[in-house]
Amino acid sequence: MTVRPMNIDPDKCLIGGAWIAPTGGQTLPLTNPSDGSRLCQIARGQGADIDAAVAAAEAALNGPWGQATAAERGRILAKIGRAVQDHADELARLEAMDVGKPLKQARADVMALARYMEFYGGAADKVHGATIPYLDGYTVYTLREPHGVTGHIIPWNYPMQIIGRSVGAALAMGNACVLKPAEEACLTALAFARIAQQAGLPDGALNVVPGLGAEAGAALASHTGVHHISFTGSVGVGKLIQQQAGANVVPVTLELGGKSPQVVFDDADIDAALPFLVNAGIQNAGQTCSASSRILVQRGVYDQVVAAMADRYGALRAGPALEDHDLGPLVSARQKEIVSAFLAQGAGLHCVAQGQVTAEAPQTGAYVQPTLFADVPPDHVLAQDEIFGPVQVLIPFDDEAEAIRIANSTPFGLVASCWSANGARQMRMARALRAGQVFLNNYGAGGGVELPFGGSGLSGHGREKGFEALYGFSTVKTVAAFHG
Ligand code: NAP
Ligand code: MG
């Protein structure tokens, strides 16, 4: 099947408002992971295409986009948000076919993208500087200014949400963007840019160059015409990006991986916790940076939680994305190999339950069985490494001190949660857990447009989402006037 969906040319780049064939004339195949079939060819952008996109962004800054007031930018973003909603079904189906995400989850991503546009549209004219008391005879104030051209390199797991949070905030502050989506997931990025253009975003304010990370991605990260890089992806590539941008002294935001724990104490409301414990591990087939892959449970309720989670796992079904099961396939055959290799390393562990792949799911799809392990030593590779698949480990603990020690024992620090009825303990845990977000008696894997998000340690640095992102996508100029 070949798609030419939603008025986009998938084998072209969108630069300066026009569909442009990649300069090298090359394309890459795109696969539907639900059945392994070929979807279409996409553009294999190269350095020259990134040059053109950066030039188009610079031109936009010198044109109508650069002259737009904050209120006008806000109005355009809000309009884009409504246009995204109008195209919700098409966008959700496109994403489901491209990355294997069950339709309901793909639709949630569309709604999050629309909400990001609404949120950042509303925020665009509410960011302002300060006046600062200084020496006698001076008036000093600060101006919040855009960086200029911002580069956005994003992964395949939540393309629409990540575009919403990074491109949305960057545009709100008046930057012009060059977006390099993942090679496995560029269709909704192209469709979104087209929708934004039709909703009134001036040409060149958002340019999309699909292609390989080592080619188009590296060219963007090391471009001297780019003034800020937002990268979401793996730790290994994040380190490379930081080096590449660092050579030009360009600031970077790194949103990397995680091994996020949920900590369940004896006094927790187990029935309330259960759906969160499981969903946070299997949402998007576990391919979520903020997936909760470690469940730490106090010994008094350990057997109860293991049994209840095993029950839920037994009922889980994985199948084609458009059939909307609990899980779709993984994004690719390659991702299936990676996750299968981790599962093989769990051979000596206590596997308490596995969900099933539906009998009708094509053998050619990238399916794995969701798998739950119990009694996993905290230093085991499955309790330390990010798997990026539907695999969770259960770890027992005795007391609060041990829970904190185990929870903080990985090099990551993205998200964590504490389930307990004890208010004082909730406050202690919120401070002690190393994470950019801590949830008390709930867990939001990837959720919360309004909530600042980001990590520490190998999970990265900088914050996106919420109002906080607007500071990251802008810079402060101090003006000191002497008037005597
Ligand atoms: P990835 O391999 O790091 O790829 C991310 C992006 O970087 C893709 O667009 C990729 O392009 C590009 N890239 C690859 N090599 C590059 C290079 N040498 N120079 C410049 N760009 C390059 O990550 P992934 O496998 O797609 O995504 C999974 C990872 O992302 C996980 O570790 C996950 O935890 C993390 N993640 C984090 C968050 C968060 O917010 N913290 C959110 C989602 C995902 P190609 O793929 O086209 O080669
Ligand atoms: Mg695909």
Side-chain angles (χ1 to χ4, degrees):
M1 173 187 176
T2 294
V3 290
R4 188 180 177 281
M6 298 187 65
N7 237 353
I8 64 170
D9 282 343
D11 56 351
K12 300 208 168 62
C13 311
L14 190 62
I15 298 174
W19 296 107
I20 311 244
T23 44
Q26 289 175 296
T27 58
L28 297 162
L30 203 63
T31 301
N32 178 348
S34 288
D35 58 12
S37 65
R38 179 69 43 87
L39 268 176
C40 59
Q41 296 291 121
I42 62 155
R44 181 172 172 175
Q46 309 274 350
D49 305 301
I50 293 292
D51 289 345
V54 171
E58 196 62 53
L61 291 171
N62 293 321
W65 180 241
Q67 279 139 28
T69 63
E72 284 165 350
R73 294 197 302 268
R75 245 174 256 131
I76 292 173
L77 287 182
K79 228 176 135 197
I80 296 172
R82 288 192 294 276
V84 165
Q85 285 189 34
D86 291 343
H87 291 282
D89 287 336
E90 294 157 277
L91 283 167
R93 287 183 72 82
L94 201 55
E95 194 77 308
M97 283 192 297
D98 195 0
V99 301
K101 191 173 292 217
L103 216 41
K104 210 181 290 137
Q105 296 178 36
R107 209 180 153 83
D109 285 4
V110 181
M111 289 306 153
L113 171 58
R115 171 76 184 123
Y116 276 114
M117 294 301 131
E118 180 185 54
F119 179 85
Y120 285 122
D125 60 354
K126 293 164 191 69
V127 183
H128 41 70
T131 53
I132 302 174
Y134 190 51
L135 303 174
D136 190 31
Y138 280 82
T139 297
V140 180
Y141 60 95
T142 59
L143 295 171
R144 274 262 156 210
E145 297 185 333
H147 291 292
V149 178
T150 51
H152 305 256
I153 302 175
I154 67 167
W156 41 259
N157 59 345
Y158 288 86
M160 286 190 281
Q161 294 215 29
I162 295 169
I163 289 169
R165 77 185 192 205
S166 76
V167 170
L171 291 175
M173 294 310 293
N175 300 280
C177 308
V178 178
L179 170 64
K180 207 301 278 177
E183 68 185 278
E184 291 103 332
C186 65
L187 296 182
T188 51
L190 290 166
F192 170 74
R194 188 63 162 171
I195 288 169
Q197 189 187 18
Q198 286 164 348
L201 187 68
D203 293 346
L206 171 59
N207 308 277
V208 185
V209 181
L212 296 174
E215 297 174 356
L220 182 57
S222 56
H223 205 288
T224 52
V226 171
H227 308 108
H228 180 279
I229 292 280
S230 163
F231 172 78
T232 304
S234 61
V235 175
V237 176
K239 289 179 182 172
L240 275 178
I241 300 276
Q242 182 153 330
Q243 283 170 4
Q244 289 162 344
N248 302 323
V249 201
V250 167
V252 295
T253 301
L254 297 181
E255 301 275 8
L256 310 178
K259 193 71 187 172
S260 299
Q262 296 199 65
V263 184
V264 185
F265 286 92
D266 283 349
D267 62 353
D269 180 342
I270 304 296
D271 288 340
L274 270 172
F276 290 87
L277 298 180
V278 175
N279 289 347
I282 57 129
Q283 177 183 317
N284 201 28
Q287 304 163 117
T288 305
C289 53
S290 50
S292 175
S293 45
R294 293 186 295 153
I295 309 295
L296 281 49
V297 188
Q298 200 165 15
R299 287 197 192 273
V301 291
Y302 184 71
D303 290 343
Q304 182 191 346
V305 172
V306 172
M309 283 186 71
D311 259 9
R312 286 180 181 253
Y313 260 75
L316 292 174
R317 293 292 173 271
L322 292 180
E323 292 178 12
D324 214 6
H325 297 276
D326 303 304
L327 300 87
L330 299 181
V331 71
S332 62
R334 189 175 76 100
Q335 191 65 15
K336 181 178 171 176
E337 270 172 38
I338 293 170
V339 173
S340 302
F342 272 113
L343 286 172
Q345 294 194 69
L349 293 174
H350 178 200
C351 173
V352 277
Q354 283 193 303
Q356 299 301 318
V357 178
T358 60
E360 300 77 33
Q363 297 288 322
T364 43
Y367 301 96
V368 296
Q369 288 176 266
T371 304
L372 181 67
F373 293 104
D375 315 327
V376 178
D379 59 354
H380 191 279
V381 63
L382 293 196
Q384 285 288 319
D385 286 14
E386 185 182 48
I387 297 172
F388 233 53
V391 182
Q392 285 180 297
V393 300
L394 282 147
I395 303 172
F397 69 85
D398 284 315
D399 57 21
E400 199 174 305
E402 189 185 18
I404 293 167
R405 191 171 48 71
I406 297 172
N408 290 346
S409 70
T410 77
F412 299 103
L414 195 55
V415 177
S417 85
C418 164
W419 294 88
S420 168
N422 180 329
R425 169 179 284 148
Q426 293 167 14
M427 295 303 113
R428 287 194 299 272
M429 291 296 288
R431 284 175 186 264
L433 290 166
R434 195 177 63 235
Q437 282 188 337
V438 174
F439 290 92
L440 302 173
N441 292 327
N442 69 108
Y443 192 94
V449 166
E450 307 83 353
L451 312 181
F453 176 78
S456 61
L458 290 189
S459 293
H461 53 74
R463 294 291 178 267
E464 290 189 344
K465 301 191 180 182
F467 217 78
E468 195 71 25
L470 299 167
Y471 302 126
F473 283 107
S474 61
T475 183
V476 168
K477 179 184 282 172
T478 305
V479 181
F482 177 68
H483 39 69

